[in-house]
Amino acid sequence: MTHDVVVIGGGSAGYAAARVAADRGADVAIIDKGPLGGLCILRGCMPSKTLLRSSDLLSLMKRAGEFGLIASEIYPDLGAINDRKRALVDEFADYRVEQLNSPRFRLIRGRARFDSPTSVRVGSESISGRSFVIASGSAVSRIPVPGLEETGYLTSDDVLELRELPGSVIVLGGGAVAAELGQFLCRMGAETTLIQRNSQLLSDCDPDMARHVETRFREEGMQVYTDTRLQHVGRSGDRTSVHFLHGDESRSVSADVVFNALGRTPALAGLALERAGVEVRGGRIATDDRMRTSAEHIYAAGDCAGPYEIVHIAVQQGEIAGHNAVAGAPEKSIDYRLRMSVVFTDPQVASVGPAEKECRAAGIPYLSAGHPFSDHGKSMVMGETHGIVKILCHPENGELIAGHITGPDASELIHELAAVIYYHGTVFDLLQIPHYHPTLAEILTYPAEELAGTLTR
C-alpha cells in the first residue's frame, strides 16, 4: 500500500508528526515495533517522576523534626511505590494506544526496514510512502568499559521496575538519568556511589548551577566522584567492583550492583538507512532546521535526530516534520531559542536558553546576575535553601537571553522566564510584572534588579 506519509515510531515525536500530517489531510501510516506508548510514557518521564515523588516525600518526612513535628519511624515500601507507578503508566499508555488506534491513521505493528528510498518492509509486507518521518527513539548506550558487559548491570529500565532495594549501588554517569535515579536509590536507603567522568555533575549546566546538587547529594550520604576515567569492572563473589582514576589516583569501589546511566544512543539499528539515502552523522540522523534529512522526502524527529533528548522538543520536531512532510503549504522550521531543560533532582535544575559557557564559546555578549535561595524569605520558610537563580541579558538593551534556576520548584519557576524571553522582554519588563509576597517567584526579580541597575534605558 502507498501512503502520503509513513511515520516510523509511535512515541512522542512520531505521534505528533502523524497527528499534524493527518490534520493536513494526509493518508498516514504509523509503524511501531511495540510496546505502544513510547519512551516518555513507558520507561522515561512518567515512571521516573512517579518514583521521584515518593522519594521526595520520604526525604521531607524524615526532616519532620526540623519543622517542629514528631513522626514515627518512616520507611519505604518499594513494591507499593512500584505498584502506584505501574497503575499511572498503564493509564497514560492506554490513552496513547487509543490515540494510535484512531481511524485517522493506519497502525502497523512491527519493525520497519527500508527497502528503497520510497518503501519499507515490515515482516513480509511492503509499505510505500510519498514522504517518511523517522521517529525511532533511543536505546541505552553500550559504553566500552572493560568488563562491564561481562559483569552485568542495571539500566534505567531495570531501576524503574525494582521491587526490592539493593543494599548498595554504583551509579555510572552524572547526567539527568544518573542524578535523578541515583538520588532516588540513595533516599530509598541504598548505599550509593556515583562516578562521573566530567569535572561536574550535569555537565551541560554551568558549574554554579550544578554544585548545589552535588552538595545535596553528599549531605544525603551519597559518595560522589567527578573528573574520573573508568578503567575496568570486575566481580568477586556477590560484589561488583569498579576501578577508575580519580584525577591521577587509582581508586576502586564495590557494591551489590552497578547502575549503568552513561546515556542513551539513537535507535537506528535495523532501519537500513543507507538504502534510503539518509545520512547519519555522529550517531544521529542528520537533519536541517525543517527536520529534513539528506533524502528530500524523508524527515526525522526526536531522540534519533537530537540534538536534545527532551520530550517537548521531540514533540515540536515531530509537529514540524509532520507539517513539512505534506506538500502544499509553506514549510516550517524549528527554533531552539526557547530550549528548556529540567532535571528533577532535589534541588531541581531548570534552564531556558544558553548557559554562560555556551555564550562564551559562541561569542554571544551578555551580562549575568544571580541570587541564592539561601537569602530568600519564602525558601527559608520552606527549609529549601539549596540553589541559585541566574539571569543572562543583552548588555545594551537588557533583553533576556537565558534563565537558569537550581532550587525548589525550579521546573515551574522557569516558565515565567521562558514567557519573558518568548516575547523578547527585558529585565525592565520582568521588574514590571507584579510578584506576590511571599512567593518563590519573587526571587526572579532580584537578579533582574541588579542587571537593570547596570543598564541605561
Side-chain angles (χ1 to χ4, degrees), residues 227-242:
D227 192 21
T228 69
R229 283 180 290 166
L230 296 174
Q231 299 293 292
H232 64 275
V233 179
R235 193 162 183 87
S236 177
D238 57 355
R239 302 276 288 181
T240 298
S241 297
V242 176

Side-chain angles (χ1 to χ4, degrees), residues 323-345:
H323 174 88
N324 294 340
V326 182
E331 289 190 322
K332 295 183 178 181
S333 58
I334 190 76
D335 179 8
Y336 295 121
R337 184 175 71 92
L338 290 172
R339 181 193 75 202
M340 281 197 295
S341 66
V342 176
V343 182
F344 288 87
T345 46

Side-chain angles (χ1 to χ4, degrees), residues 170-182:
I170 299 169
V171 181
L172 302 182
V177 173
E180 290 179 359
L181 294 182

Side-chain angles (χ1 to χ4, degrees), residues 50-386:
T50 304
L51 298 187
L52 295 181
R53 175 63 172 167
S54 293
S55 65
D56 287 346
L57 285 174
L58 177 64
S59 174
L60 189 58
M61 291 165 73
K62 287 183 175 179
R63 294 171 55 194
E66 180 182 332
F67 300 93
L69 304 174
I70 300 174
S72 58
E73 184 179 354
I74 301 165
Y75 59 89
D77 181 342
L78 202 55
I81 290 171
N82 205 285
D83 288 341
R84 177 176 183 268
K85 178 217 70 178
R86 173 49 52 197
L88 286 168
V89 168
D90 287 347
E91 183 177 344
F92 300 140
D94 287 346
Y95 181 62
R96 175 54 53 83
V97 170
E98 180 182 337
Q99 292 175 313
L100 292 171
N101 279 302
S102 166
R104 303 168 68 203
F105 319 116
R106 179 191 175 205
L107 178 62
I108 304 166
R109 301 293 300 275
R111 294 181 179 273
R113 179 180 179 85
F114 279 96
D115 279 339
S116 73
T118 58
S119 66
V120 294
R121 183 164 297 278
V122 180
S124 61
E125 183 180 6
S126 180
I127 298 107
S128 299
R130 295 180 177 86
S131 297
F132 291 82
V133 177
I134 304 170
S136 53
S138 62
V140 174
S141 296
R142 304 294 179 183
I143 305 297
V145 179
L148 181 59
E149 293 293 335
E150 295 81 358
T151 302
Y153 52 82
L154 300 177
T155 67
S156 57
D157 293 356
D158 300 319
V159 173
L160 293 175
E161 297 298 329
L162 286 176
R163 300 188 67 85
E164 293 184 6
L165 189 72
S168 54
V169 60
I170 299 169
V171 181
L172 302 182
V177 173
E180 290 179 359
L181 294 182
Q183 187 177 38
F184 168 78
L185 292 167
C186 183
R187 285 180 160 184
M188 288 294 106
E191 182 182 323
T192 305
T193 301
L194 186 147
I195 303 174
Q196 159 71 323
R197 292 170 293 182
N198 201 279
S199 59
Q200 65 174 67
L201 295 180
L202 307 175
S203 57
D204 290 339
C205 300
D206 286 324
D208 56 348
M209 293 289 111
R211 69 167 178 263
H212 298 277
V213 178
E214 183 174 338
T215 297
R216 186 61 169 264
F217 283 6
R218 294 184 187 279
E219 288 179 357
E220 293 181 344
M222 186 188 299
Q223 280 191 296
V224 179
Y225 294 95
T226 57
D227 192 21
T228 69
R229 283 180 290 166
L230 296 174
Q231 299 293 292
H232 64 275
V233 179
R235 193 162 183 87
S236 177
D238 57 355
R239 302 276 288 181
T240 298
S241 297
V242 176
H243 301 263
F244 59 99
L245 292 178
H246 185 220
D248 295 325
E249 183 179 354
S250 294
R251 287 182 173 269
S252 67
V253 292
S254 298
D256 296 330
V257 296
V258 168
F259 169 27
N260 175 8
L262 292 170
R264 300 183 67 87
T265 190
L268 306 181
L271 287 173
L273 296 175
E274 68 281 358
R275 297 181 183 177
V278 173
E279 179 185 358
V280 176
R281 191 183 307 150
R284 300 182 182 278
I285 297 176
T287 63
D288 62 16
D289 63 352
R290 291 166 174 77
M291 308 316 300
R292 180 181 282 111
T293 72
S294 54
E296 186 72 14
H297 64 296
I298 300 178
Y299 301 79
D303 289 358
C304 67
Y308 309 109
E309 296 176 357
I310 300 173
V311 172
H312 78 274
I313 291 179
V315 171
Q316 287 179 303
Q317 291 176 338
E319 290 173 342
I320 288 170
H323 174 88
N324 294 340
V326 182
E331 289 190 322
K332 295 183 178 181
S333 58
I334 190 76
D335 179 8
Y336 295 121
R337 184 175 71 92
L338 290 172
R339 181 193 75 202
M340 281 197 295
S341 66
V342 176
V343 182
F344 288 87
T345 46
D346 180 9
Q348 295 178 356
V349 183
S351 69
V352 56
E356 281 196 73
K357 58 185 178 183
E358 291 179 271
C359 291
R360 291 192 295 267
I364 300 172
Y366 71 93
L367 295 174
S368 71
H371 194 88
F373 278 94
S374 59
D375 186 36
H376 178 54
K378 181 61 183 292
S379 53
M380 294 167 69
V381 168
M382 294 171 63
E384 303 293 348
T385 55
H386 286 283

Side-chain angles (χ1 to χ4, degrees), residues 383-453:
E384 303 293 348
T385 55
H386 286 283
I388 184 175
V389 59
K390 180 171 65 175
I391 293 175
L392 279 58
C393 76
H394 192 282
E396 294 180 1
N397 61 14
E399 180 177 333
L400 262 64
I401 297 172
H404 305 278
I405 306 171
T406 298
D409 289 338
S411 60
E412 306 295 336
L413 295 175
I414 198 66
H415 289 83
E416 179 177 347
L417 297 180
V420 175
I421 294 172
Y422 176 82
Y423 287 107
H424 296 276
T426 67
V427 293
F428 305 105
D429 294 321
L430 182 57
L431 289 173
Q432 289 299 311
I433 299 172
H435 288 78
Y436 201 89
H437 175 77
T439 62
L440 290 174
E442 282 180 295
I443 196 172
L444 302 177
T445 65
Y446 303 158
E449 187 173 12
E450 180 180 339
L451 290 169

